[in-house]
Amino acid sequence: MSELPLLSATDLPSDAVEVGRIADAWGVKGWFKVVAFSSDPQALMAAPQWFLQPAEKGAKTFAGTVILPVKQIRWHGDGLVATSLDVVSRNHAEALRGARIFVAREHFPKAEDGEYYWVDLLGLTVRNREGVVLGVVKDLLSTGPQTVLVLSQTLEGKTIERMIPFVDAYIDSVDLPGKTIVADWQLDY
């Protein structure tokens, strides 16, 4: 049976974003494998502490939110491994298997002009140039060369889903404070 490391209970910051999960123990000295949800996990690697919540599925070895100070995180092969002063053995690392990792927004690098974090686009209302509502961003898909906005809209009791490529050819503007996106798109596309 895995023994749980001594981690402090805390509240999840209101601006925290889920950025990965702990996959499994790595080695015998308390290191663990990390699965990042981004191909460029700068925020995960820059944050001095992570907020952990139990796995959504499987065994739950702790409840609520705990804080994990990060001692070191580095690339190993094609994945990440990390350690903490609070995780001193393989048993401790195994007890964290599946834990969801959240990072406070203050540790995210500033987005360049015209760049947006996906999490910031979720929930924005998309309108076309004529002001007609096309839907609300409920998801984003990476199709390789481009990202696609997945919109949801309820009309006459039916939910309609639309997909719009998130590229300059179709997106006129993104107004994060105004929670809107203007697109060169029509209802019948």
Side-chain angles (χ1 to χ4, degrees), residues 29 31-32 47-50 68-73 82-87:
K29 295 183 178 180
W31 284 75
F32 43 89
Q49 61 193 16
W50 298 340
L68 179 72
V70 179
K71 178 180 175 186
Q72 185 179 359
I73 182 170
T83 188
S84 169
L85 291 175
D86 294 346
V87 181

Side-chain angles (χ1 to χ4, degrees), residues 158-175:
K158 293 183 181 180
T159 300
I160 297 169
E161 190 173 90
R162 286 190 180 80
M163 295 186 184
I164 301 175
F166 191 65
V167 295
D168 289 341
Y170 300 112
I171 304 300
D172 292 340
S173 64
V174 176
D175 178 5

